[in-house]
Amino acid sequence: MNAIVSIIMGSTSDLPVMEKAMQFLEDMQVPFEVNALSAHRTPDAVEQFAKGAKARGIKVIIAGAGMAAALPGVIAASTTLPVIGVPIKGSVLDGVDALYSILQMPPGIPVATVAINGAMNAAILACQMISLADESLAKKMGDYKNGLGSKIEKANQALAEIKYTYKTN
């Protein structure tokens, strides 16, 4: 089994955030790989990784980074694969610095960006991209999305059971 999604983080300190992406891919049975690479400390390794990802069978790259958050953009500059950036909260600016760094890419080097610490949404987006050419995964994603509605319906039913004198529903 070869990985089709690559999860990259700038440091293993990002692991608690990025694990949410790993768990979603695991649940959807999507083969993935995980690596720590730093755009600032290992720039040659990042470029080599990005340039070789497609040949290794990777279809989507999820890159998490905090502070200056150069990693997703550096990867996107060296590959034609879709890159999803996950800004990670970790500085005195609460991740807003990372968010802006990932969002503000120059023309020609796009990075899809999710919310601060939004690794799970990055994995969902990666699966939706792959689903365009994978009917089995498309079915799993459809089931997942339908399940989201069921959770809200159950929550609403539970709210209906709460009794207050002046509650009208």
Side-chain angles (χ1 to χ4, degrees):
M1 166 175 32
N2 294 325
I4 60 173
V5 175
S6 187
I7 298 174
I8 307 297
M9 60 196 88
S11 163
T12 55
S13 65
D14 301 333
L15 187 58
V17 171
M18 299 307 287
E19 280 180 324
K20 294 177 182 102
M22 292 179 230
Q23 188 60 59
F24 188 83
L25 294 171
E26 181 75 14
D27 293 346
M28 291 294 123
Q29 301 174 326
V30 173
F32 64 95
E33 64 181 23
V34 181
N35 291 289
L37 294 169
S38 170
H40 299 111
R41 291 177 231 130
T42 59
D44 294 338
V46 171
E47 185 177 6
Q48 183 179 11
F49 158 80
K51 287 183 175 179
K54 190 173 187 178
R56 289 192 339 272
I58 300 299
K59 296 183 183 312
V60 181
I61 298 169
I62 299 171
M67 298 170 71
L71 185 61
V74 170
I75 291 170
S78 297
T79 185
T80 58
L81 293 172
V83 176
I84 304 168
V86 180
I88 295 179
K89 181 179 177 177
S91 71
V92 295
L93 300 177
D94 288 332
V96 173
D97 48 348
L99 175 67
Y100 287 160
S101 293
I102 296 171
L103 281 173
Q104 296 298 330
M105 295 303 300
I109 314 295
V111 174
T113 309
V114 295
I116 296 168
N117 287 358
M120 184 173 168
N121 268 353
I124 292 168
L125 183 56
C127 287
Q128 289 175 325
M129 291 173 177
I130 295 165
S131 290
L132 294 171
D134 182 330
E135 287 296 321
S136 174
L137 184 56
K139 166 111 175 59
K140 290 177 194 173
M141 291 304 298
D143 292 345
Y144 171 76
K145 291 281 186 150
N146 289 335
L148 293 176
S150 298
K151 285 182 183 178
I152 295 298
E153 289 170 9
K154 287 179 186 174
N156 205 29
Q157 289 170 357
L159 289 172
E161 299 298 319
I162 297 173
K163 302 294 182 204
Y164 287 93
T165 304
Y166 293 98
K167 183 175 174 264
T168 62
N169 65 340

